[in-house]
Amino acid sequence: MATSRVVVVRAAGARATSGALERPVISRMFRRGLALISGESDEARAVRFFFRLGDRIGIKVNTIGGKALSTGPDVALPLVECLARGGMPAEDMIIWDRTNREIRDAGYTLSPRRGPRVFGTDTDGVGYGPDLVSHLNVGSLFSRIQTDLVSASVSLAVLKDHGLAGITAGMKNYFGAVHNPNKYHDSRCDPFVAEVFDAAPVKSKHRITILDALVVQCHRGPSYHARWAEPFRGLVFSTDPVAADSVGRAIVDRIRAAKGLPSLEEEGREPLYLATAQRMGLGRADPAGIETIEETVR
């Protein structure tokens, strides 16, 4: 399997002294990350590396953590603007998650009709598809947003410690696309994280993982605990979903070590799904097969 590239873009100025996100800085982080991961310095060519004209782009966010620990509008909307500058019409984008309540609680204004559209699977007339997707150990109904309304998918996920899976990041973000995610938390979520991703509605449309590592919940996750929510001021980019999560795991362990905490492995919470995903051919989990590029922007 070829070496996978992961780009980590950090910016000390990503947050103002008030704690609010600085959207112009976030926008520059997206531009640089997409340029480095695509190898295209021109913004339009970088965007076209991942998307084609006519794509209906779904941006799957994670809003279960409220305003404290979700992919909020100050992250998702700069991505929309970046893609729009690259030639993808905002009218062809959907920012989405499971429920309208969670989306509102994360700070979004619902906009089910005007682009970029922002709404949840529980919106009237949307819901889950009628046909059960049976794949390996997975049997789920998938959100019609993922199956019918989008043709290309971005996992824009918060990077967090997870009491069962070890971490929750880009791959597990797609648990929010199925009607029965609670079914997939046994055995430390393994092999279910990999198998939900490998199911056709996800795997066939996923184009890029972007991890929101601006603030990383490094312990006691996935719920928010201020003591363990560490500013990392980073975004992580990769076309390899496994490598993105593997680097995310390394970031969590790096922060844990700085705080005097044991590693996830030492604590008995090794993210087993990463090795499973590599065995399934979904990407690289072994750090030896991952080229990680870190860069700081102003």
Side-chain angles (χ1 to χ4, degrees):
M1 190 182 293
T3 300
S4 295
R5 174 178 291 183
V6 178
V7 169
V8 181
V9 177
R10 301 183 71 184
R15 285 188 178 273
T17 53
S18 66
L21 289 175
E22 294 282 12
R23 282 181 56 168
V25 178
I26 302 298
S27 182
R28 290 196 289 274
M29 294 171 75
F30 276 120
R31 286 200 302 270
R32 189 59 183 151
L34 292 177
L36 287 171
I37 205 68
S38 68
E40 298 283 359
S41 58
D42 177 78
E43 187 172 24
R45 286 199 296 270
V47 169
R48 299 289 180 86
F49 181 87
F50 306 101
F51 304 104
R52 300 182 299 271
L53 285 177
D55 274 339
R56 292 167 286 113
I57 301 171
I59 300 173
K60 171 63 177 71
V61 293
N62 184 323
T63 58
I64 199 170
K67 288 186 178 179
L69 202 63
S70 291
T71 324
D74 287 341
V75 177
L77 293 178
L79 174 59
V80 167
E81 292 161 2
C82 181
L83 298 181
R85 287 193 301 270
M88 302 296 112
E91 292 74 17
D92 291 341
M93 300 185 212
I94 301 174
I95 298 169
W96 70 283
D97 203 357
R98 302 184 306 170
T99 71
N100 286 323
R101 176 186 61 80
E102 290 169 339
I103 292 171
R104 283 193 301 264
D105 288 350
Y108 291 91
T109 299
L110 296 176
S111 179
R113 293 180 177 82
R114 299 184 62 182
R117 299 162 69 190
V118 182
F119 58 92
T121 297
D122 65 347
T123 298
D124 288 346
V126 183
Y128 295 91
D131 299 322
L132 186 75
V133 175
S134 181
H135 179 66
L136 300 173
N137 295 289
V138 168
S140 296
L141 303 177
F142 277 76
S143 170
R144 286 191 58 249
I145 300 171
Q146 184 70 25
T147 59
D148 299 348
L149 302 186
V150 307
S151 61
S153 184
V154 178
S155 182
L156 182 59
V158 178
L159 175 61
K160 296 185 283 188
D161 171 273
H162 193 280
L164 297 175
I167 63 164
T168 177
M171 295 183 75
K172 192 174 180 296
N173 190 30
Y174 284 111
F175 273 23
V178 299
H179 84 292
N180 56 349
N182 291 344
K183 180 179 177 181
Y184 302 131
H185 284 77
D186 291 342
S187 305
R188 290 160 60 183
C189 304
D190 181 58
F192 306 111
V193 173
E195 292 183 351
V196 167
F197 186 92
D198 193 55
V202 175
K203 184 179 178 182
S204 66
K205 297 182 180 184
H206 180 80
R207 300 288 177 82
I208 185 171
T209 296
I210 304 175
L211 302 183
D212 175 355
L214 296 164
V215 173
V216 176
Q217 186 75 42
C218 70
H219 189 51
R220 300 283 302 275
S223 56
Y224 176 69
H225 297 274
R227 178 182 177 186
W228 307 112
E230 183 70 12
F232 184 74
R233 302 180 179 88
L235 296 174
V236 180
F237 301 77
S238 189
T239 56
D240 180 331
V242 187
D245 283 15
S246 182
V247 169
R249 173 263 179 88
I251 290 170
V252 170
D253 268 342
R254 178 166 143 193
I255 295 171
R256 289 175 65 88
K259 287 183 169 291
L261 293 167
S263 70
L264 293 173
E265 182 178 13
E266 290 168 341
E267 204 168 77
R269 294 191 294 114
E270 175 80 8
L272 300 176
Y273 78 86
L274 291 171
T276 298
Q278 178 169 291
R279 287 194 298 271
M280 291 171 63
L282 296 175
R284 295 300 297 256
D286 183 354
I290 300 172
E291 175 195 15
T292 303
I293 300 170
E294 292 202 29
E295 187 167 305
T296 300
V297 302
R298 295 184 181 275

